[in-house]
Amino acid sequence: MIKNCAVALALAIGLTACGSDNPAPEPAAQPSSDPGVGHVHGLGVDPATGKTYVAGHFGLFTLENKKLLRVGDRDADHMGFTVAGPKTFYASGHPAEADITAGQAPHLGLIRSTDSGLTWEQVALAGKADFHALQVAGATVYGYDSQTGQIWRGKEPTSSRPPGSTCSIWLPVPTHPTASSPPPPTG
């Protein structure tokens, strides 16, 4: 019995000594719940701060110290992103996957931020339009809707409108000089 215990002890010491010189691997890092930028849909510079903004498939980011930092807590697909003025941005695209699963329409229509992308408000055509290109010219916002193939236009809110008012009625722009404008979507 003592002989068997001695053999077992010698075997245990021998096997321990045969271990690897490499330390045990660290446990794999848990993946972050933040999906990152995904692919990029637009770039812009806020004239209020000079910061560069990157609009991606999973939200809006700033470029700081060679790193992308998420702006706000949205991970919506920011398509058609454009800077309209100091701290004022427009975008379109799609809500976060969780929002769509919860019943939100798959198209954002036109959204606007007046605080450099921290928060966004609905402006026009929610659930109807998916603007892949947006451009601001003066007080007019133009957008190319990938769902209808139409170019739409609407006026930016002005100080003469009540707080919280959104763009004026959005109308499609004829894409051919002899074409007439189709009726705006209903609902």
Side-chain angles (χ1 to χ4, degrees):
M1 173 88 168
I2 294 176
K3 184 177 181 186
N4 287 343
C5 285
V7 170
L9 182 60
L11 186 57
I13 292 170
L15 289 174
T16 303
C18 293
S20 170
D21 288 340
N22 296 332
E26 293 288 324
Q30 294 297 318
S32 169
S33 62
D34 189 325
V37 73
H39 53 268
V40 174
H41 290 300
L43 299 171
V45 176
D46 185 348
T49 62
K51 283 186 180 180
T52 300
Y53 285 80
V54 179
H57 191 73
F58 297 112
L60 183 65
F61 297 79
T62 58
L63 181 62
E64 296 182 29
N65 297 320
K66 299 182 182 180
K67 292 183 180 180
L68 291 176
L69 300 176
R70 181 174 294 282
V71 176
D73 60 358
R74 294 174 61 103
D75 66 352
D77 186 2
H78 285 76
M79 303 189 76
F81 176 79
T82 191
V83 175
K87 299 184 178 187
T88 303
F89 307 157
Y90 284 94
S92 187
H94 312 283
E97 190 63 39
D99 294 334
I100 294 173
T101 301
Q104 188 171 345
H107 306 297
L108 291 173
L110 183 69
I111 58 175
R112 175 184 57 229
S113 174
T114 57
D115 59 7
S116 299
L118 290 173
T119 61
W120 294 83
E121 65 180 326
Q122 194 63 51
V123 175
L125 301 171
K128 295 176 177 50
D130 179 14
F131 295 112
H132 281 212
L134 290 167
Q135 183 64 49
V136 178
T140 303
V141 181
Y142 293 89
Y144 172 75
D145 177 15
S146 69
Q147 297 302 295
T148 64
Q150 292 291 316
I151 297 171
W152 294 80
R153 72 171 177 255
K155 296 286 185 188
E156 282 192 272
T158 64
S159 58
S160 64
R161 293 190 189 154
S165 68
T166 59
C167 282
S168 62
I169 296 174
W170 274 62
L171 299 172
V173 177
T175 54
H176 187 275
T178 61
S180 61
S181 295
T186 59

